[in-house]
């Protein structure tokens, strides 16, 4: 079976060092197995998006010669697909409307406890939740080994469509990965926690499970993920090689001295050839000073 991997950025800001690490890790993992590497734009949440970011992210990937296979898929063009699946679940009573606010859930304990499961509510001002009858509390990660997830989170009937009408990340990511034939998900370790929920959806859909590899997350000195919120700088488009080398070192590569005089294609080809999981650090977070760099 052909390996199909993907990089799935959310266009909430420019591509920063942390997202380059995720892009490169998924690229090396796919290309070292002669697989396809897809790019999917996760533009599900317009209020959190930055105008122009999707285009800028793609231009940045091009500047780093990270050429994707096939066409870029935009989640904003796939609402019908998500809605159809939700309607199927609603009609089978596998999903249901919920009127609880975040505040109410918090007041009743930290997690949602199925308060609206049997209320037969209708769409008015409600979110939609999926019924989780068989929580997934563990999975195997290719680097981390067996991961055990908090059972309260795994057991929660989680939201698949928000009260404001936006589709939930967990729903869209699973529907798309299945539909695009993705065989392995490689992404940042901040997404370890929702993996159990995503596996639950694969099970409900009767789909073949995928493999998971979670990469160390680049964090600032105070432990925060690089993100738009903490002003992670976009990476340089005009001078990509130094950043590329930094990101490869972050992924555990020990680069030969001559690499400094190589061009991008040669560096990437060297990376594809030498990529192996033993070199990848097992830590789920690594501090980087990169966020302070001016692009
Ligand atoms: N869109 C998500 C993000 O940018 C990644 C989703 C995934 O790789 O599963 O954090």
């Amino acid at each position: 079976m052909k390996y199909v991997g993907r990089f799935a950025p959310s266009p909430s800001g420019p591509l920063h060092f942390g997202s380059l690490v995720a892009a490169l890790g998924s690229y090396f993992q796919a290309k070292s197995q002669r697989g396809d590497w897809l790019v999917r734009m996760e533009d599900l949440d317009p209020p959190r998006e930055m105008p122009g970011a999707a285009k800028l992210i793609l231009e940045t990937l091009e500047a780093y010669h990270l050429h994707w296979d096939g066409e870029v898929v935009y989640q904003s063009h796939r609402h019908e697909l998500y809605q159809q699946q939700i309607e199927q679940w609603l009609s089978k009573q596998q999903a249901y409307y919920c009127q609880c606010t975040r505040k109410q859930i918090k007041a009743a304990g930290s997690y949602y406890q199925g308060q609206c499961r049997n209320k037969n509510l209708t769409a008015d001002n409600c979110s939609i939740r999926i019924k989780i009858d068989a929580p997934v509390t563990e999975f195997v990660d290719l680097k981390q080994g067996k991961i055990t997830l908090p059972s309260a989170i795994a057991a929660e009937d989680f939201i698949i469509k928000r009260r404001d009408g936006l589709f939930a990340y967990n729903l869209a990511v699973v529907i798309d990965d299945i539909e695009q034939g993705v065989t392995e998900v490689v992404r940042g370790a901040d997404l370890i926690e929702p993996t159990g929920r995503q596996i639950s959806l694969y099970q409900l859909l009767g789909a073949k499970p995928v493999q998971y590899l979670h990469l160390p997350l680049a964090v600032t000195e105070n432990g925060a993920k690089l993100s738009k919120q903490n002003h992670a700088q976009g990476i340089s488009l005009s001078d990509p090689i130094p950043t590329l080398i930094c990101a490869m070192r972050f992924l555990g590569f020990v680069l030969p001295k001559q690499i400094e005089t190589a061009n991008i294609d040669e560096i990437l080809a060297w990376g594809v050839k030498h990529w192996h999981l033993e070199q990848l650090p097992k830590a789920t977070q690594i501090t980087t000073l990169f966020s302070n760099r001016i692009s």
Side-chain angles (χ1 to χ4, degrees):
M1 196 177 64
K2 188 169 172 117
Y3 180 106
V4 181
R6 63 13 168 223
F7 173 55
S10 304
S12 52
L15 198 81
H16 53 70
F17 182 74
S19 25
L20 178 66
V21 165
L24 274 177
S26 58
Y27 175 87
F28 287 134
Q29 180 72 356
K31 292 299 163 190
S32 64
Q33 297 178 60
R34 299 179 193 281
D36 282 347
W37 183 68
L38 313 179
V39 170
R40 181 173 67 233
M41 203 49 73
E42 303 217 314
D43 50 354
L44 271 184
D45 193 347
R48 294 185 60 185
E49 283 154 24
M50 183 192 102
K55 187 162 170 276
L56 184 58
I57 289 172
L58 297 178
E59 283 166 4
T60 311
L61 292 174
E62 275 167 352
Y64 283 74
H65 294 208
L66 293 168
H67 305 304
W68 53 88
D69 295 293
E71 298 279 309
V72 174
V73 162
Y74 291 82
Q75 290 189 323
S76 57
H77 299 175
R78 293 160 75 82
H79 290 182
E80 212 172 303
L81 202 65
Y82 311 142
Q83 187 62 33
Q84 271 169 11
Q85 184 55 56
I86 291 181
E87 273 160 27
Q88 266 193 41
W89 277 328
L90 283 170
S91 69
K92 290 195 288 185
Q93 271 145 43
Q94 186 63 56
Y96 62 91
Y97 292 101
C98 169
Q99 64 188 5
C100 298
T101 61
R102 216 175 281 194
K103 214 167 149 191
Q104 286 167 332
I105 294 169
K106 221 171 160 198
S110 308
Y111 299 101
Y112 174 74
Q113 283 151 14
Q115 288 89 328
C116 294
R117 235 187 196 227
N118 302 313
K119 284 191 186 157
N120 287 319
L121 295 168
T122 47
D124 272 357
N125 198 22
C126 279
S127 57
I128 303 178
R129 291 182 182 269
I130 186 89
K131 278 188 191 166
I132 297 297
D133 295 315
V136 172
T137 52
E138 47 183 56
F139 72 97
V140 177
D141 180 273
L142 287 178
K143 181 71 197 185
Q144 306 290 328
K146 188 169 109 177
I147 292 189
T148 304
L149 300 162
S151 54
I153 295 180
E156 201 175 56
D157 289 345
F158 58 87
I159 291 181
I160 50 177
K161 190 172 185 184
R162 289 167 24 180
R163 188 191 291 266
D164 58 10
L166 297 181
F167 295 98
Y169 153 69
N170 283 315
L171 172 82
V173 84
V174 170
I175 290 185
D176 288 342
D177 280 339
I178 294 171
E179 204 264 338
Q180 295 186 274
V182 168
T183 58
E184 190 173 287
V185 168
V186 181
R187 59 187 177 191
D190 54 328
L191 294 169
I192 287 178
E193 202 173 272
T195 303
R197 295 179 166 192
Q198 293 171 18
I199 297 172
S200 296
L201 293 184
Y202 276 85
Q203 293 177 349
L204 286 170
L205 291 165
K208 196 170 182 299
V210 286
Q211 303 218 78
Y212 292 96
L213 170 64
H214 287 92
L215 304 168
L217 205 63
V219 296
T220 63
E221 277 162 311
N222 50 23
K225 182 189 165 188
L226 298 192
S227 67
K228 192 176 146 217
Q229 284 72 25
N230 57 38
H231 311 293
Q233 298 282 341
I235 51 176
S236 172
L237 272 79
S238 56
D239 183 24
I241 289 183
T243 314
L244 176 64
I245 288 181
C246 258
M248 287 175 69
R249 292 209 171 106
F250 185 96
L251 286 166
F253 282 109
V254 180
L255 296 151
K257 188 90 192 88
Q258 317 83 281
I259 212 89
E260 279 157 30
T261 57
N263 66 35
I264 300 194
D265 290 326
E266 289 163 346
I267 299 172
L268 288 175
W270 185 92
V272 169
K273 189 163 164 214
H274 292 89
W275 170 257
H276 54 90
L277 291 186
E278 292 88 80
Q279 70 171 24
L280 179 71
K282 204 170 176 188
T284 52
Q285 295 199 343
I286 298 177
T287 305
T288 174
L289 296 177
F290 218 89
S291 59
N292 302 328
R293 249 174 115 121
I294 306 299
S295 57

